[in-house]
Amino acid sequence: MVKTSTFQQAIETVEKLSLEEQQMLIDTIQKRLHQQRRAVLSQEITEIRQEVTEGKVKFGSVGDFLEELDQP
């Protein structure tokens, strides 16, 4: 007996839906993915702002960055 993956089972289930239902599913998944990406970006922005507030972020030119890399 061949064991199918969860992903393959999901594909087979989706293929059983009507075209309209498949399109609705795609739209729903895309919206949820966008929401998740926005949430991740929002969290990253919050963390970066906190690091700036705490003085953990330095600003400067590429030359400044390279100079700092050369320091022991």
Side-chain angles (χ1 to χ4, degrees), residues 12-69:
E12 290 171 4
T13 300
V14 169
E15 288 175 341
K16 292 176 185 175
L17 300 173
S18 70
L19 290 177
E20 182 179 322
E21 290 170 324
Q22 288 181 29
Q23 187 61 56
M24 287 173 42
L25 178 62
I26 289 169
D27 293 343
T28 302
I29 290 172
Q30 285 178 335
K31 287 177 184 174
R32 288 183 182 189
L33 286 172
H34 289 139
Q35 289 172 344
Q36 289 175 0
R37 287 184 187 126
R38 275 194 295 271
V40 168
L41 283 173
S42 178
Q43 180 61 36
E44 289 174 354
I45 289 168
T46 300
E47 291 172 6
I48 290 168
R49 285 181 176 161
Q50 183 66 32
E51 289 175 3
V52 169
T53 300
E54 294 172 359
K56 294 180 180 178
V57 177
K58 294 182 181 180
F59 296 94
S61 67
V62 172
D64 295 336
F65 173 71
L66 293 175
E67 187 177 309
E68 190 163 322
L69 285 179

